[in-house]
Amino acid sequence: MKFRVERDALAEAVAWTAKSLPNRPSVPVLAGVMLRVTDGNLQVSGFDYEVSSQVTVEVQGDADGAALVSGRLLAEITKALPAKPVDIAAVGAHLELVCGSARFTLPTMPVEDYPTLPDMPESAGTVDAAAFAAAVAQVAVAAGRDETLPMMTGVRIELTGSTLAMLATDRYRLALREMEWNPDDPEISLNALVPARTLHDTAKALGPLGGHVTMALSSGGAGEGMIGFSGGTRRTTSRLLDGANYPPVRSLFPADHNAEARIAVATLIEVVKRVALVAERTTPVLLSFSADGLVVEAGGTEEARASEAMEATFTGEPLTIGFNPQYLIDGLANLGAQHALLRFVDAFKPAVISPAGEDGEVIPGYRYLIMPIRVSR
């Protein structure tokens, strides 16, 4: 194998592929990235039996072939190279990499020991890449991080006709995003539970490429239990989580509300961050709403307290409710709007945060539910 490639294209391809490699692989070859040159195209691949990723890069190929090298080491090296073309050649049991006056020799691993990447499931439809990346970011923030509850670490994708819905919850908050997409089958009705981290990293990488992302999801037969995404020259597949017993979380959204507040998002985030400085990890921030506006306060150890008032348009009976400050900030920061509409039933029931337009009305598509923390005053 011997080829020449642009530094930036190589570094970007290797970095994206290496990002999904396991920190503690079950076998050494799974820590590697596969470089395979065929007919002037370089395929950079990674696979750990859970997630596969592959990027195709145009190169000047002198000799076709393949080599398997440490993914994280190659990513660090390519990122640090000078901005010049890179010459790479497989020589015996080593990979030689030359860029300008910089030269690296890396040990290779046996190509024949590397597992074959899974095929993409059949295409289910396409969605705008940038809109998809933004939507995934809004939802993935609410997914759980406790690996002992694997179901909660996923994002549930529901494909119903031309509507794509995504839900995630860690039992303390719940995010729901609905958007239009282009299904291959107008009558499609499929659900899948995708690992949140994989979905977020994939969407974040495909979003800036523009165009459309193809979503591949099998309803049975070959590729079942797997989802695939492709856009531009990149493609990735992931095993699905077992979502057969995923709880009916949509029912958590209250059917009605008794009070609502319209608030400037950026201001509220700043105020909550300031006030929460005195709060311990498990201490909530208190939001007291009235016709006069909003007062945010928190207390910590040794009588440390903080409070700050801000403008808010509030309708309903005066209300004081406590929230985990980070969960509240996460919801506000991902609204994608300058104003938020907070709706309440009472101080002990979940509140719903939605993006609001200039007219004060809810912008449909995204809802973030957050459980209150009971406080005794």
Side-chain angles (χ1 to χ4, degrees):
M1 182 185 74
K2 188 177 182 183
F3 64 93
R4 170 173 280 204
V5 62
E6 290 300 320
R7 195 284 304 259
D8 289 351
L10 177 66
E12 199 175 289
V14 173
W16 184 65
T17 306
K19 192 172 184 180
S20 60
L21 295 178
N23 291 318
R24 298 182 184 86
S26 53
V27 287
V29 291
L30 297 183
V33 293
M34 177 72 79
L35 305 177
R36 188 181 296 277
V37 175
T38 312
D39 299 329
N41 284 313
L42 166 67
Q43 282 188 341
V44 184
S45 312
F47 184 39
D48 66 352
Y49 290 113
E50 296 289 329
V51 179
S52 80
S53 51
Q54 189 176 84
V55 193
T56 304
V57 180
E58 286 188 9
V59 299
Q60 296 175 24
D62 292 332
D64 292 354
L68 182 65
V69 294
S70 166
R72 298 198 186 283
L73 179 57
L74 186 62
E76 289 177 7
I77 289 171
T78 53
K79 186 173 67 174
L81 290 174
K84 295 179 179 179
V86 185
D87 289 297
I88 295 178
V91 181
H94 291 86
L95 188 76
E96 292 189 353
L97 188 151
V98 179
C99 181
S101 58
R103 177 183 292 271
F104 292 87
T105 302
L106 307 179
T108 58
M109 293 178 272
V111 171
E112 59 273 12
D113 292 350
Y114 199 70
T116 303
L117 265 66
D119 293 329
M120 286 280 278
E122 60 184 273
S123 170
T126 61
V127 61
D128 180 81
F132 181 63
V136 169
Q138 287 182 309
V139 174
V141 70
R145 290 162 180 63
D146 184 356
E147 296 296 337
T148 62
L149 295 169
M151 189 184 296
M152 296 296 158
T153 65
V155 172
R156 179 176 165 90
I157 295 180
E158 299 176 350
L159 307 175
T160 311
S162 61
T163 301
L164 186 163
M166 290 182 281
L167 300 114
T169 180
D170 60 3
R171 299 180 300 163
Y172 305 105
R173 63 238 178 107
L174 163 64
L176 167 64
R177 179 72 162 90
E178 293 177 317
M179 62 188 297
E180 293 289 306
W181 79 307
N182 306 303
D184 292 343
D185 175 8
E187 303 296 316
I188 193 170
S189 180
L190 284 176
N191 299 324
L193 190 59
V194 188
R197 184 183 162 200
T198 301
L199 181 64
H200 183 256
D201 287 349
T202 301
K204 188 177 178 183
L206 295 178
L209 300 178
H212 288 84
V213 171
T214 298
M215 195 179 303
L217 184 65
S218 180
S219 56
E224 190 170 17
M226 188 176 293
I227 193 167
F229 301 93
S230 61
T233 59
R234 301 181 178 189
R235 53 155 273 195
T236 188
T237 65
S238 172
R239 280 187 183 273
L240 297 176
L241 298 168
D242 182 6
N245 298 314
Y246 198 78
V249 291
R250 282 176 183 261
S251 62
L252 294 174
F253 286 103
D256 211 348
H257 60 277
N258 298 321
E260 70 176 35
R262 182 172 179 267
I263 307 173
V265 170
T267 307
L268 181 55
I269 290 174
E270 287 178 15
V271 170
V272 170
K273 282 181 177 178
R274 273 195 294 271
V275 170
L277 290 173
V278 300
E280 296 177 327
R281 281 190 61 186
T282 56
T283 307
V285 291
L286 297 180
L287 278 64
S288 298
F289 294 94
S290 67
D292 297 329
L294 168 63
V295 176
V296 182
E297 54 188 320
T301 54
E302 299 177 1
E303 304 300 316
R305 298 199 63 80
S307 69
E308 187 168 342
M310 62 172 286
E311 289 185 5
T313 304
F314 180 73
T315 55
E317 293 295 317
L319 173 81
T320 297
I321 190 167
F323 294 121
N324 175 306
Q326 191 56 53
Y327 292 175
L328 179 59
I329 290 168
D330 286 345
L332 292 166
N334 285 283
L335 284 182
Q338 292 184 351
H339 291 89
L341 203 64
L342 282 68
R343 287 178 166 166
F344 312 97
V345 177
D346 58 41
F348 308 110
K349 299 238 173 34
V352 178
I353 305 174
S354 305
E358 292 298 325
D359 57 0
E361 294 297 310
V362 166
I363 300 172
Y366 183 58
R367 286 182 287 170
Y368 182 90
L369 178 145
I370 179 169
M371 302 295 287
I373 297 176
R374 292 186 178 232
V375 287
S376 54
R377 301 198 67 184

